[in-house]
Amino acid sequence: MIVDDEAEVRQAIARKIDWNALGFEIVADAENGRDALEKAESLDLDVVLTDIKMPFMDGLELGAELARRWPNLKLIVFSGFDEFEYAQEAIKLNVVEYVLKPVNAEELTKILGRVKGLLDAEIAQRRNIAQLTEAYQKSLPLLREKFLHELLRGPMDQRELETQMERFGLTIREGKYKIAAVCSLSKHGGEGLSPELIPVSARQMVDDALRGRCHREIFLNLASVIVVTAWDRDPVESLMSLMGEVCAECQRILGVKMTVGIGRACQEPGDLYKSYAEARAAVEYKVFTGGGKPIYIQDMEQLDRGGQEVDNRREQQLLSAIKFGSREQVAALVDQLLDAGGEDWSPQARLIGILGTLMPIIQRYKLGEAEMLGPRETWLPLLREDTPRQTQRDWLLDLCLRMSGCLNQRRVSTAKRMVEEAERYIREHYPQSDLSVDKLCDHLHISQSYFSTIFKQETGRSYVQYLTDVRMEHAVELLRTTDDKTYLVAEKVGYDEPNYFSYVFKKRFGVSPSQFRK
């Protein structure tokens, strides 16, 4: 993306460089930092070329925000101001090149060649089988990894826990908040790498993303990467953002879809097994979110309104099938349960056992016993010894499918209510210039990543687009019905910079606010 407030400069840079020959593609351009930041949210950028001096948000502010959100992105800064403090600030931002204007096509071509080499080297490093194999051989010793598995399996004796954590030097003892994540890798893709090395590469990507940001323990478990972290402050948004970057990188570099389930934070290492169980449950929701992104369990449980721990293995199987399974999967599980126990169990005993498993689920999720089971006289006869197995099977399958349909409908309607509440909040608070997605998500008690997904699904617009539309609607109304000066209109609709308000207004309607009023 090319960012400069002068259209001629943007066009000249785009025209004078043979981008395809260098291995690049221009996917967007922007005339100021704010505009660039908005566009960057929906693009998969590798490089941003930006001027420094621009209205509304300059290149250094843009660079700082880009570095915070997308740390792997490469920034090339050009400026007509040959002043040392700009170069100093650019170095702090990890800018790969600092170019003085006017930009020379030959010089910029050389710079882009170097940046391309840097990007290729980073990708090659992650794909280097020898390095991946070496990293795999140097992974945590067997005993250390075994302890981590035990830590996440269930409660441990406190004294034993402390002794082992000190013995293995686990850094997750530090930090106030502990949180677990499960990175599930799809079985498809990953051309050019052996299946055994794909999790190794994914583990390295996760480690790179988290290094320096938290205390962490990362290890492999079949086709997934297990992550245990400790943070000094509430980690959910940071972890969601970082894991979102890893998911995108995994897809781009390895060609493999990664879905990351994230549990709730806890404050004691001994409670990490709960966060881990929630992280595993969160991964299952990929059938609804599409996968390939982080999923926070609390976002999902706002839709299901469940949340109690499920200890019974059979109940876990049934609940998972009812929540996430297809009709065929539910039917297969019903058949399996009806055949369980062999000759030691009568058909009546099996049916009673299955109903005993389903009833707590119906009660926990408040599905309504009468609505799910129907009148007693319709299902009590099923318990008789002469009831054919097929009749029992058909009734049980119908019950499970009713429960599944009810949960799915509730999930959809709850998501719609959440978006409606977000729209209401935006329309009530749009005059606040600092109305951010962070503030809105704090109000809704939902993560930014999940909010952005469901809001776009329901409204067809991003949060920024929706907020801008609301502000422009009210700006038009004020221009039509009042004599307020433009700067007052800007202030009333949430813009603390009148010039930026005029820029957005003209971009939307093709004329300035004063011309519109005339």
Side-chain angles (χ1 to χ4, degrees):
M1 178 161 63
I2 301 173
V3 190
D4 194 296
D5 58 333
E6 298 181 46
E8 296 82 359
V9 173
R10 300 197 304 274
Q11 292 164 6
I13 293 174
R15 187 175 60 252
K16 291 181 179 179
I17 303 296
D18 189 348
W19 297 94
N20 288 334
L22 288 170
F24 287 99
E25 177 189 358
I26 298 176
V27 292
D29 65 272
E31 53 188 296
N32 60 69
R34 286 192 180 180
D35 191 24
L37 207 55
E38 267 186 46
K39 291 180 177 178
E41 290 180 353
S42 58
L43 297 171
D44 185 16
L45 294 170
D46 295 300
V47 181
V48 171
L49 296 87
T50 180
D51 190 13
I52 284 186
K53 190 175 181 183
M54 297 182 293
F56 315 127
M57 177 185 281
D58 66 31
L60 296 180
E61 291 177 289
L62 171 63
E65 191 60 28
L66 289 174
R68 185 181 72 82
R69 298 194 195 182
W70 300 282
N72 291 325
L73 188 145
K74 309 303 177 193
L75 193 67
I76 299 174
V77 170
F78 42 86
S79 171
F81 294 85
D82 187 9
E83 298 181 14
F84 184 62
E85 59 263 30
Y86 284 122
Q88 276 188 317
E89 191 64 31
I91 290 170
K92 289 179 188 176
L93 294 174
N94 249 353
V95 170
V96 292
E97 295 284 350
Y98 184 87
V99 188
L100 293 177
K101 293 170 71 173
V103 179
N104 180 286
E106 183 179 350
E107 179 188 4
L108 186 56
T109 297
K110 291 179 181 178
I111 288 171
L112 289 166
R114 291 199 293 271
V115 173
K116 176 67 162 52
L118 183 62
L119 288 165
D120 288 343
E122 288 180 358
I123 293 173
Q125 184 179 7
R126 288 177 171 82
R127 286 182 168 170
N128 188 301
I129 295 177
Q131 287 186 358
L132 294 175
T133 304
E134 183 181 352
Y136 181 73
Q137 292 170 344
K138 291 181 178 179
S139 61
L140 296 176
L142 183 60
L143 289 176
R144 191 169 188 267
E145 192 165 307
K146 181 182 177 184
F147 168 72
L148 287 168
H149 278 288
E150 291 176 356
L151 175 66
L152 300 181
R153 189 175 294 128
M156 293 183 68
D157 176 77
Q158 184 63 28
R159 183 177 299 177
E160 176 70 10
L161 173 63
E162 292 173 0
T163 300
Q164 296 289 10
M165 290 190 76
E166 185 172 353
R167 174 188 176 191
F168 294 119
L170 298 181
T171 59
I172 55 172
R173 292 177 295 171
E174 310 296 330
K176 182 179 179 181
Y177 299 96
K178 329 290 183 187
I179 191 167
V182 175
C183 308
S184 174
L185 298 162
S186 69
K187 297 178 181 178
H188 310 290
E191 293 78 7
L193 280 177
S194 63
E196 295 82 7
L197 290 178
I198 290 173
V200 181
S201 182
R203 180 201 180 283
Q204 191 63 47
M205 290 179 182
V206 173
D207 196 31
D208 290 343
L210 296 179
R211 185 179 296 116
R213 292 179 168 86
C214 64
H215 304 287
R216 68 205 183 281
E217 299 294 341
I218 307 170
F219 55 99
L220 304 178
N221 182 18
L222 298 178
S224 61
V225 179
I226 311 302
V227 187
V228 185
T229 61
W231 307 69
D232 294 325
R233 56 184 180 180
D234 191 350
V236 174
E237 286 300 338
S238 297
L239 190 57
M240 289 282 285
S241 176
L242 291 168
M243 290 298 97
E245 286 293 311
V246 174
C247 289
E249 190 177 21
C250 196
Q251 180 70 57
R252 182 167 65 93
I253 294 176
L254 301 180
V256 174
K257 181 181 283 189
M258 174 191 281
T259 302
V260 181
I262 298 175
R264 292 182 181 86
C266 58
Q267 296 192 3
E268 297 297 332
D271 290 331
L272 272 166
Y273 74 94
K274 299 177 182 177
S275 182
Y276 174 64
E278 292 177 337
R280 291 176 58 192
V283 170
E284 298 297 326
Y285 283 94
K286 63 187 176 185
V287 297
F288 298 110
T289 66
K293 64 185 75 172
I295 304 171
Y296 180 38
I297 187 63
Q298 185 163 302
D299 293 337
M300 298 297 105
E301 287 196 347
Q302 288 197 52
L303 303 186
D304 279 336
R305 303 300 179 192
Q308 297 181 21
E309 290 187 48
V310 180
D311 296 322
N312 184 285
R313 180 172 177 79
R314 185 163 68 170
E315 187 175 341
Q316 282 184 321
Q317 288 180 315
L318 265 173
L319 181 57
S320 180
I322 289 168
K323 275 187 172 184
F324 311 117
S326 64
R327 179 187 178 92
E328 291 73 21
Q329 290 169 324
V330 175
L333 184 57
V334 168
D335 285 333
Q336 178 186 331
L337 294 174
L338 282 173
D339 293 336
E343 296 181 358
D344 295 336
W345 288 71
S346 67
Q348 294 71 29
R350 292 194 196 101
L351 183 59
I352 291 171
I354 297 171
L355 284 175
T357 302
L358 289 172
M359 286 305 296
I361 299 175
I362 292 172
Q363 292 165 357
R364 182 183 312 121
Y365 289 89
K366 298 181 174 60
L367 301 179
E369 295 177 27
E371 291 81 356
M372 293 298 106
L373 299 176
R376 290 174 62 86
E377 54 269 21
T378 64
W379 58 267
L380 276 177
L382 297 170
L383 303 179
R384 293 200 306 244
E385 292 185 10
D386 59 347
T387 303
R389 179 189 182 283
Q390 185 63 37
T391 303
Q392 292 179 334
R393 189 253 189 199
D394 291 345
W395 183 82
L396 272 176
L397 177 59
D398 187 56
L399 169 59
C400 291
L401 293 176
R402 277 201 304 276
M403 292 169 65
S404 176
C406 186
L407 284 173
N408 287 338
Q409 182 58 43
R410 181 184 296 175
R411 190 176 292 113
V412 171
S413 61
T414 305
K416 287 182 178 178
R417 286 199 302 274
M418 197 176 294
V419 170
E420 288 170 0
E421 170 62 15
E423 291 176 318
R424 185 192 64 76
Y425 188 85
I426 291 171
R427 291 189 174 276
E428 288 180 359
H429 296 85
Y430 72 89
Q432 299 175 5
S433 61
D434 63 344
L435 181 58
S436 63
V437 69
D438 307 49
K439 184 180 288 189
L440 176 57
C441 289
D442 283 345
H443 170 74
L444 295 173
H445 306 293
I446 188 173
S447 71
Q448 293 181 31
S449 173
Y450 183 64
F451 168 76
S452 299
T453 299
I454 63 169
F455 193 81
K456 186 72 177 287
Q457 285 175 350
E458 292 295 326
T459 67
R461 290 175 282 181
S462 69
Y463 164 79
V464 172
Q465 291 170 333
Y466 188 89
L467 176 60
T468 302
D469 288 346
V470 170
R471 285 173 167 169
M472 290 299 104
E473 287 173 17
H474 287 277
V476 164
E477 187 64 22
L478 289 171
L479 289 169
R480 283 176 172 161
T481 60
T482 73
D483 295 324
D484 289 345
K485 301 290 186 182
T486 300
Y487 75 90
L488 284 176
V489 173
E491 186 178 318
K492 288 181 178 180
V493 297
Y495 292 94
D496 50 12
E497 294 182 44
N499 289 338
Y500 186 66
F501 164 70
S502 297
Y503 162 78
V504 174
F505 192 94
K506 187 171 183 178
K507 191 176 179 181
R508 176 63 55 88
F509 299 110
V511 293
S512 68
S514 57
Q515 290 171 325
F516 180 88
R517 174 173 271 160
K518 290 178 182 178

